[in-house]
Amino acid sequence: MNEKSAGRIPPWWERGVIYQIYPRSFQDSDGDGVGDLRGIKQRLDYVAALGVDAIWLSPVFPSPMADFGYDVADYTDIEPMFGTIEDFDRLVAAAHRRGLKLLLDFVPNHSSDRHPWFVDSRASKGSAKRDWYIWAPPGPDGGPPNNWISDFGGSSWEWDEASGEYYLHAFLKEQPDLNWRNPDVQAAMFDVMRFWFDRGVDGFRIDVLWHIVKAEGFPDNPVNPYWHDRLGQRDMLIQRHSTDQPEAHAIAAEMRRLADSYGDRLLVGEIFLPNDRLCAWYGNDERPEVHLPFNFALIENAWNAETIGRLVADYEAALPPGGWPNWVYGSHDAARIAARIGEAQARVAAMLLLTLRGTPTLYQGDELGIGRVEIPADRIRDPRELREPGLGLGRDWSRTPMPWTGDAPFAGFSSVEPWLPLNGDWQTRNVANQEADRGSMLWLYRDLLALRRQRTALALGDYQGVSAAGDLLVFDRISGTERLRIALNLGEVETGFVREGACLLSTLGNEADRDVLRPNEGIIIDLGAVA
Ligand code: GLC
Ligand code: MG
């Protein structure tokens, strides 16, 4: 894929790096053990010093918290636990003063069952808002209308005794799916986007975008022949008819038109699909859709050089003309990168994420190398874990509070016991300690982000794979006459590698100059100007 033609000024988000904040777990300011907007505002200098460009906030809207905010009861206000709309306005202003953009989480596929729209919808078959959600009579056998399975296990259909029909929920029954085939729903939800754009937000991460339209007539989903009982119930079926419907693309295009009417705003779509179908969500020049369909390849694949080399090449090849890539390995849903591959290799992962071509999204706490966290059974909160325990689907382990200091109770996150436990090693693994230690994970992230900012080749340059075999992954980033080489040792043994050029950064510190990569070492070298 080619570097953009000279003279084109790339939009901020192409150069930019996104930092995801999970508001419940960033900073508590009012002593209720749950993070909040004022807390985030207090910590903005930390975020700015990291060197990122934008913050994405997981949902902060009024919510019964059945799915910790992904069940929205009012799309145009702030959850009291998180603060007020004035707090939100102050947060946006404070972020902007520091040059940070702010993205909100837009949850269009479903609302809370407490949303007034749904309360009205379920009141009776004749309700004005009946058709705002997805209702169906029982199937031929008197049970649910079809075989669809919720992502959190169990049927996707919930029987509503009072009104005598089933309603659809792709997630919890407390999260009924909105009916995006209804133009009134579309209009109302586009108004929601306008509401926040008018308040100055710089864009949205759009929750489960590929779910928003379902096949007409609700045909049964095909059975997944590869399912086994270590997988969640969701994977028993292939979600052919419940997700990724062609009609959804027109809606994404409309969201984009709206965003573009506000200027330089960004839409990131949460979409789990193979490359060919994922990339369709960019749309095309005539009808663009989201700027960045999230690329979860680093979350979904094994961590080895060959696999990663191949998945990068496949993804680069799948991008449509002008489609800007993006990368992510952590979120409030995924297992922590350091828990997956170990802390030593997580340093190599950081170098990979921040040197690949495309916009990276970082997840809070990964910059501290937070790894496995112990959570006693009686403190599990995630409904996904509670409904299908022990399969490794639970998300609490990635949602523990930020450890700010070893010198204050509860790591400075809160003055009371937090809603989820801290990482067990918070007394040593915390922001204050890592700020004081030039060799820490935090400083590695800062150094990588600073280098990415300095070097156009890293921020915007072309990608060229060099080798991906054994433990060694090597690629170049090229801009004009500048060529940087990234060499990563994904293994735990020393591996031969000739270091031509000047070493700009090593994940282990800069002192080595032998013709090797040390175990779990990644380096960035400057090959100098190329003709
Ligand atoms: C997305 C969110 C996840 C949530 C689900 C339902 O995948 O990231 O946290 O549970 O959507 O809204
Ligand atoms: Mg609080």
Side-chain angles (χ1 to χ4, degrees):
M1 300 272 105
N2 292 322
E3 197 186 346
K4 298 292 157 54
S5 52
R8 174 181 177 273
I9 298 172
W12 64 266
W13 48 268
E14 286 188 8
R15 273 184 173 278
V17 177
I18 302 170
Y19 182 76
Q20 183 191 355
I21 289 182
Y22 192 67
R24 295 181 62 90
S25 294
F26 202 60
Q27 175 67 56
D28 178 22
S29 74
D30 60 356
D32 64 354
V34 179
D36 44 54
L37 295 180
R38 285 175 186 233
I40 295 169
K41 185 162 168 286
Q42 288 164 16
R43 296 295 185 184
L44 278 183
D45 285 334
Y46 168 79
V47 179
L50 193 55
V52 298
D53 300 86
I55 294 168
W56 145 35
L57 294 184
S58 279
V60 290
F61 317 107
S63 168
M65 298 284 164
D67 191 20
F68 296 110
Y70 286 94
D71 47 326
V72 179
D74 180 349
Y75 285 99
T76 55
D77 204 348
I78 295 294
E79 160 63 38
M81 191 187 292
F82 292 138
T84 64
I85 194 98
E86 290 75 30
D87 291 330
F88 178 77
D89 290 341
R90 284 191 281 267
L91 177 63
V92 174
H96 285 168
R97 273 198 302 281
R98 288 167 178 79
L100 292 167
K101 309 278 188 186
L102 195 133
L103 312 178
L104 281 178
D105 211 314
F106 183 43
V107 190
N109 179 69
H110 45 268
S111 72
S112 162
D113 62 345
R114 313 274 182 84
H115 195 296
W117 298 341
F118 188 71
V119 173
D120 183 344
S121 185
R122 87 185 303 172
S124 83
K125 275 185 189 155
S127 294
K129 294 226 163 25
R130 186 64 167 184
D131 194 39
W132 281 45
Y133 292 83
I134 299 174
W135 294 93
D141 62 354
N146 67 19
N147 71 348
W148 294 0
I149 295 176
S150 145
D151 276 32
F152 294 159
S155 172
S156 289
W157 298 94
E158 178 71 11
W159 175 247
D160 183 56
E161 185 61 44
S163 70
E165 278 185 312
Y166 283 91
Y167 67 85
L168 182 72
H169 56 93
F171 297 88
L172 298 173
K173 68 175 173 21
E174 292 84 358
Q175 296 168 291
D177 280 37
L178 282 153
N179 176 16
W180 275 83
R181 292 188 184 274
N182 182 335
D184 294 339
V185 169
Q186 296 194 13
M189 293 301 269
F190 295 145
D191 279 347
V192 169
M193 296 179 78
R194 286 191 193 93
F195 176 89
W196 294 108
F197 278 140
D198 287 338
R199 287 201 110 82
V201 312
D202 300 288
F204 294 98
R205 174 268 191 186
I206 308 173
D207 191 65
V208 297
L209 179 58
W210 86 115
H211 269 266
I212 61 175
V213 178
K214 288 80 183 163
E216 215 114 46
F218 312 124
D220 274 355
N221 273 329
V223 168
N224 173 9
Y226 302 107
W227 186 81
H228 52 86
D229 60 9
R230 298 302 299 156
L231 294 174
Q233 290 179 33
R234 176 194 69 188
D235 295 327
M236 295 171 95
L237 303 178
I238 296 164
Q239 297 186 320
R240 180 169 304 149
H241 303 299
S242 49
T243 66
D244 199 30
Q245 295 302 299
E247 296 91 332
H249 288 277
I251 295 168
E254 195 52 36
M255 291 175 177
R256 172 64 177 270
R257 240 169 41 84
L258 205 157
D260 284 351
S261 74
Y262 283 85
D264 221 7
R265 312 292 168 108
L266 171 64
L267 298 180
V268 184
E270 187 202 18
I271 299 160
F272 280 89
L273 287 174
N275 281 336
D276 52 339
R277 283 156 66 201
L278 176 68
C279 287
W281 291 85
Y282 282 104
N284 52 44
D285 284 350
E286 291 79 58
R287 198 184 76 164
E289 299 178 28
V290 295
H291 303 87
L292 301 176
F294 253 138
N295 164 22
F296 294 113
L298 293 176
I299 292 178
E300 297 189 299
N301 286 281
W303 196 265
N304 64 69
E306 209 185 305
T307 303
I308 295 174
R310 192 182 53 236
L311 69 85
V312 176
D314 288 350
Y315 177 63
E316 284 275 348
L319 289 167
W324 185 251
N326 76 92
W327 296 96
V328 56
Y329 55 50
S331 77
H332 66 297
D333 294 330
R336 288 239 181 237
I337 187 73
R340 274 177 65 201
I341 62 175
E343 184 174 4
Q345 187 57 214
R347 297 174 75 96
V348 175
M351 183 169 277
L352 176 72
L353 181 67
L354 292 170
T355 57
L356 282 172
R357 190 177 83 97
T359 305
T361 300
L362 311 180
Y363 178 57
Q364 72 175 51
D366 281 347
E367 74 275 24
L368 305 175
I370 296 175
R372 289 189 196 285
V373 181
E374 294 301 324
I375 303 185
D378 64 345
R379 296 205 55 190
I380 299 289
R381 294 288 175 271
D382 181 18
R384 194 165 190 202
E385 178 66 18
L386 292 169
R387 291 172 58 84
E388 294 189 86
L391 297 177
L393 302 172
R395 303 168 297 178
D396 289 331
W397 291 270
S398 303
R399 298 176 175 181
T400 58
M402 277 290 279
W404 295 101
T405 169
D407 294 336
F410 311 113
F413 165 74
S414 178
S415 55
V416 301
E417 180 69 39
W419 75 288
L420 280 178
L422 289 150
N423 49 302
D425 54 357
W426 67 270
Q427 275 159 316
T428 48
R429 185 185 304 284
N430 58 61
V431 170
N433 273 11
Q434 295 206 12
E435 276 181 336
D437 171 9
R438 200 60 187 75
S440 66
M441 184 76 89
L442 177 59
W443 271 105
L444 176 64
Y445 271 82
R446 287 178 171 177
D447 288 344
L448 283 163
L449 285 158
L451 193 61
R452 193 182 164 92
R453 203 172 283 280
Q454 276 161 29
R455 293 298 193 122
T456 306
L458 288 181
L460 298 171
D462 292 346
Y463 169 90
Q464 211 172 77
V466 174
S467 75
D471 285 335
L472 195 60
L473 180 66
V474 186
F475 56 90
D476 288 353
R477 298 293 311 282
I478 307 144
S479 170
T481 59
E482 182 187 21
R483 181 184 284 262
L484 302 185
R485 175 157 293 176
I486 294 87
L488 308 173
N489 183 353
L490 274 67
E492 295 189 336
V493 292
E494 193 172 273
T495 174
F497 175 78
V498 181
R499 299 184 184 221
E500 333 158 48
C503 183
L504 301 177
L505 189 60
S506 161
T507 56
L508 301 180
N510 273 339
E511 69 282 356
D513 58 1
R514 300 153 294 160
D515 282 345
V516 295
L517 282 178
R518 292 167 282 176
N520 295 301
E521 183 177 32
I523 58 173
I524 303 174
I525 51 188
D526 187 350
L527 294 184
V530 286

